[in-house]
Amino acid sequence: MTSSPRPPVAEADPPSAAWELLLPAAGAPARARGRSLQAALRDAVRSGRLAPGTRLPSSRDLAGDLGVSRGLITEAYEQLAAEGYLRSTRGSGTWVGEAVRAAPRGARDLAPGRPTGARVDFVAGSPDLSLFPRAAWAAAQRDALSELPHPTLGYPDPRGLPQLRTALAGLLARRRGVVVDPERIIVCSGVTQAVTLLGFVLHARGQHAIGVEDPGSPQYEELFATAGPRAVRLPMDAHGLAMEALAASGVRTVVTTPSHHFPSGIAYTAGRRARLLDWARAVDGLVVEDDYDGDFRYDRAPVGALQGLDPEHVAYTGSVSKSLAPGLRLGWLVVPDGLTDELVARKRYMDLGNPALDQAALARFVARGDYDRHLRRCQRAYKERRDTLVAALEEHLPGTEVSGIAAGLHAIATLPGRYGPHAALLERFAASGVAVRPLSHYGAAPGEALSLVLGYAHLAPARIAEGVRLLAYAAQELDHARVQSTRR
Ligand SMILES: Cc1ncc(COP(=O)(O)O)c(C=O)c1O
């Protein structure tokens, strides 16, 4: 045992404390008893149940209480003293070391998007997870598990299981007009990984800067910072990415959301789509098309993907994050021929491919028509929610302008200018229990009137109406307070 000049700091605990914690281990089969006692004692110290400074009973007393040999207890004390969990001095006994830090009891959950405590949470980005088709997904998983041949549980093709790539090729061609050979699809864990892979590969090819839309999704800049290239923010106009700024920037790759720009909600016009492709051909460049919510359009059939117009100059990416659930972490990247090998190599080094069972389940889910069925159900629900939002804004906040196309999971609402300073308004909204972000949060220059990004798809119609009523009440209160103060 180690000796220490420091005396124990706590009074000796009654032997029963250690006795109770170690009792189950003392009942282990004789051969495993010594190790079990050591593990239980270590666990009690690490979890904090035996706090630093706690004095342990003498080996003779504890052995008697537990009904085990004294040698096992002496051995356990010695082992844990050697590991630093216990201290002892001749004459003073054995106690829990003061330097031992109790391990946290359980893992914390730092996931974004967990309930914020707001009465109504309009923060955009999530589909309605309560619509997740649990029964159909469970059936697809069960069948995948029982039917998969054993070798499929080995390391997968890093591009993805062939049956999933085949199913996705059919789905993307039919729903989004993507021109796709299954050999050029890389299954990945979402748009996030697809864009990261592209960042690494293009950086290795000497592209040190990549264009991103401004305003736009803040995540691209962070992803590229990890992968190497610098993100160059490029302004938008009413038709899409501003072409003069793009041409002047010198970048050869640009990430875009042409079907439904995030966050402004506009769709690129046909003219701007054509000019974007002309640019890509002229600079021998690449347009990355993030089709994050392209399935949902409420006023007409969705416009096909840009990729269909020029598959050699567009890398197309999407995922199930907006259609099924972001927690599945499943997405796809459809790439031009010349980039395929490098991207597949990068995907292999990154993670050796996505989980085979999840891929097999999604392949079945798509092939059986369950994916289409689910999208139809969501489409109906989300259209109703958007209509509810627009009607509630008209009723409670007259003069509010809803902009962007009727699509996706969010809308932009620009409030009438009379409601006063933006910061004060946003404070009032938060105080009244509504979580909401201004358009400027995503990089847009604040206009005279306040524009809000309102995610509606995850909210039941009654919650949407309640949320708008709360916004209206908060705005009117502020207006009223302002009028009163100017009269004084
Ligand atoms: C513009 C945009 N693209 C893509 C995604 C989804 O990324 P992933 O497919 O990795 O979940 C998001 C998520 O919020 C997004 O805002």
Side-chain angles (χ1 to χ4, degrees), residues 13 42 50 74 85 92-93 97 103 137 153 171 183 307 326 340 364 386 394 436-437 452 476:
D13 279 3
R42 190 182 294 111
L50 287 179
T74 317
Y85 291 105
S92 297
W137 187 260
L153 294 172
L171 179 83
E183 298 304 299
Q307 190 269 5
T340 311
R364 273 174 173 64
R386 189 177 191 282
E394 252 171 42
V436 63
R437 289 194 177 140
L452 300 174
Q476 280 145 16

Side-chain angles (χ1 to χ4, degrees), residues 125 189-193 217 219-220 257 262 290 292 318-319 321-322 326 329:
S189 55
V191 169
T192 303
Q193 190 182 44
S217 172
Q219 71 162 351
Y220 302 130
T257 49
F262 186 86
D290 174 357
Y292 67 108
S319 73
S321 293
K322 309 294 177 194
R329 306 311 305 136

Side-chain angles (χ1 to χ4, degrees), residues 103-111:
R105 291 238 160 161
R108 288 184 302 150
D109 187 356
L110 297 181

Side-chain angles (χ1 to χ4, degrees), residues 48-382:
R49 277 174 294 158
L50 287 179
T54 304
R55 201 158 124 199
L56 293 172
S58 71
S59 53
R60 184 193 305 277
D61 287 349
L62 189 55
D65 284 338
L66 294 174
V68 300
S69 74
R70 187 177 172 197
L72 283 184
I73 301 298
T74 317
E75 215 175 287
Y77 281 5
E78 280 178 359
Q79 178 62 30
L80 269 79
E83 292 175 10
Y85 291 105
L86 300 183
R87 315 292 302 269
S88 71
T89 54
R90 207 176 298 280
S92 297
T94 303
W95 68 96
V96 178
E98 284 82 36
V100 177
R101 290 266 171 279
R105 291 238 160 161
R108 288 184 302 150
D109 187 356
L110 297 181
R114 293 283 185 263
T116 53
R119 279 170 75 178
V120 181
D121 186 349
F122 278 121
V123 174
S126 179
D128 186 345
L129 300 177
S130 73
L131 295 182
F132 185 79
R134 286 176 187 257
W137 187 260
Q141 272 196 319
R142 195 177 48 243
D143 294 349
L145 185 59
S146 60
E147 290 163 22
L148 274 192
H150 297 322
T152 314
L153 294 172
Y155 288 112
D157 183 331
R159 296 172 302 171
L161 295 190
Q163 61 267 43
L164 178 56
R165 286 184 286 119
T166 304
L168 287 175
L171 179 83
L172 297 176
R174 180 165 50 77
R175 289 197 73 95
R176 305 293 302 123
V178 173
V179 175
V180 52
D181 172 352
E183 298 304 299
R184 289 216 218 150
I185 295 183
I186 301 172
V187 174
C188 50
S189 55
V191 169
T192 303
Q193 190 182 44
V195 173
T196 306
L197 287 168
L198 283 163
F200 275 117
V201 165
L202 295 169
H203 192 245
R205 282 189 171 199
Q207 290 195 35
H208 297 291
I210 290 182
V212 296
E213 295 167 332
D214 184 18
S217 172
Q219 71 162 351
Y220 302 130
E221 269 183 277
E222 291 157 23
L223 298 184
F224 288 136
T226 314
R230 184 169 49 86
V232 178
R233 293 174 181 217
L234 298 168
M236 300 284 298
D237 62 28
H239 302 269
L241 200 64
M243 292 310 299
E244 296 69 25
L246 173 61
S249 71
V251 300
R252 287 181 49 220
T253 297
V254 65
V255 186
T256 61
T257 49
S259 294
H260 189 219
H261 171 245
F262 186 86
S264 79
I266 65 161
Y268 280 37
T269 57
R272 191 57 54 89
R273 284 157 62 100
R275 284 182 67 192
L276 192 57
L277 293 176
D278 287 344
W279 165 84
R281 289 180 206 116
V283 301
D284 190 21
L286 184 71
V287 178
V288 180
E289 178 176 21
D290 174 357
D291 200 21
Y292 67 108
D293 68 358
D295 274 305
F296 298 123
R297 180 92 196 226
Y298 311 119
D299 54 343
R300 48 163 291 168
V303 173
L306 192 64
Q307 190 269 5
L309 301 175
D310 192 343
E312 292 313 319
H313 289 95
V314 179
Y316 173 89
T317 176
S319 73
V320 301
S321 293
K322 309 294 177 194
S323 54
L324 278 167
L328 292 180
R329 306 311 305 136
L330 277 170
W332 43 84
L333 174 60
V334 181
V335 287
D337 198 18
L339 279 171
T340 311
D341 291 347
E342 285 153 87
L343 285 163
V344 173
R346 189 42 90 159
K347 169 72 180 164
R348 183 184 299 117
Y349 302 138
M350 207 178 256
D351 59 14
L352 296 176
N354 281 68
L357 271 176
D358 295 347
Q359 293 191 57
L362 181 60
R364 273 174 173 64
F365 194 79
V366 170
R368 285 173 177 170
D370 287 332
Y371 192 72
D372 288 298
R373 250 187 300 284
H374 176 67
L375 288 178
R376 280 198 296 277
R377 184 169 174 225
C378 292
Q379 164 91 12
R380 278 194 301 275
Y382 299 166

